[in-house]
Amino acid sequence: MKNKFTGLLAKSMSIILAACLLVMGIPVLAEDSGIVMTKDGIEYTLDEASGTASVTGCIQKELPSKEIMIPPFVEDGAGKTYSVISVGESAFSEIAFFNGGNKYSVTLPDGLEKIGKEAFSAVYFSSALVVPDSVTELGEKVFLDTDAPEIVIGSGVETIPSQAFAGMGFMESPKIVLGSSVKNIAADAFSWAEISNIVVNGPEGSLDEQLS
């Protein structure tokens, strides 16, 4: 019993220490998932082998009050630079609910390749969100229940997934601009949404049937 209790205590202390280091912006080695660090309230997981970084979460109290800027590169404590290639599942989900309904201006970097499931669900944007042309994959429900004046999808995305824009428009009816490479739109991509304008920058008539 004593050994079991000691093990649990040691594990709890290591978790608390890791959380403190993250708040301080000091990189922490996470089990089986790479190095984790925070900067300006954004949590990154670093892959030393590939030299890439993924946004995996945020410390809501540490986020800037009005603007979130995801950089194209982050640097660890040793001075090594990592390319930011993805925003992970639920990374910023529901931050408006926990920050008094704050609206954010969000900037995504060129070189980003993937935005995961529910990454920006229930986020309130103060200005247009532009998904760069380098992004090729969007996760399901990526903008579920989001409030935004406009969302622009770059030319790298071919598929609009299930419930990508579902529930949008409950506060402000947005404009959605789809890039020139979009070929497939899930049947429920716009479920329960109140969207004022959808622009398709693709071949004329190619998506008429899916959007009708």
Side-chain angles (χ1 to χ4, degrees):
M1 176 66 73
K2 181 178 179 181
N3 290 338
K4 183 177 181 181
F5 175 77
T6 302
L8 289 172
L9 180 61
K11 185 174 183 181
S12 298
M13 291 301 294
S14 66
I15 292 172
I16 293 171
L17 176 60
C20 292
L21 291 173
L22 283 176
V23 171
M24 295 168 65
I26 299 174
V28 176
L29 183 62
E31 295 181 9
D32 303 322
S33 59
I35 299 171
V36 179
M37 62 169 284
T38 60
K39 183 177 181 181
D40 298 328
I42 301 174
E43 180 183 283
Y44 301 89
T45 296
L46 312 179
D47 186 326
E48 288 191 288
S50 64
T52 59
S54 298
V55 176
T56 49
C58 63
I59 301 175
Q60 292 160 355
K61 291 183 179 180
E62 299 291 326
L63 287 172
S65 61
K66 295 183 180 180
E67 183 176 8
I68 298 173
M69 181 175 292
I70 298 175
F73 305 97
V74 291
E75 188 176 289
D76 66 10
K80 181 176 180 178
T81 299
Y82 297 79
S83 302
V84 179
I85 61 169
S86 69
V87 178
E89 181 175 335
S90 302
F92 296 98
S93 178
E94 300 185 353
I95 59 173
F97 295 154
F98 296 98
N99 285 336
N102 282 2
K103 289 190 174 185
Y104 295 91
S105 170
V106 178
T107 302
L108 302 177
D110 291 330
L112 196 69
E113 298 174 5
K114 177 182 178 180
I115 303 177
K117 180 180 179 180
E118 298 186 43
F120 291 103
S121 66
V123 174
Y124 300 164
F125 295 95
S126 60
S127 58
L129 176 71
V130 178
V131 175
D133 294 340
S134 56
V135 173
T136 58
E137 183 180 348
L138 299 176
E140 294 181 358
K141 303 179 182 179
V142 60
F143 300 116
L144 174 71
D145 292 335
T146 292
D147 180 52
E150 182 176 4
I151 294 180
V152 179
I153 304 298
S155 62
V157 174
E158 292 188 357
T159 299
I160 304 299
S162 174
Q163 297 186 38
F165 303 103
M168 288 190 66
F170 62 95
M171 293 178 64
E172 179 178 7
S173 185
K175 176 181 179 181
I176 305 297
V177 179
L178 303 181
S180 58
S181 297
V182 172
K183 299 177 181 178
N184 303 293
I185 299 176
D188 61 349
F190 298 94
S191 296
W192 320 294
E194 296 291 337
I195 296 174
S196 60
N197 191 10
I198 299 176
V199 177
V200 182
N201 290 324
E204 185 176 354
S206 60
L207 294 174
D208 284 353
E209 184 175 349
Q210 295 183 63
L211 292 174
S212 62

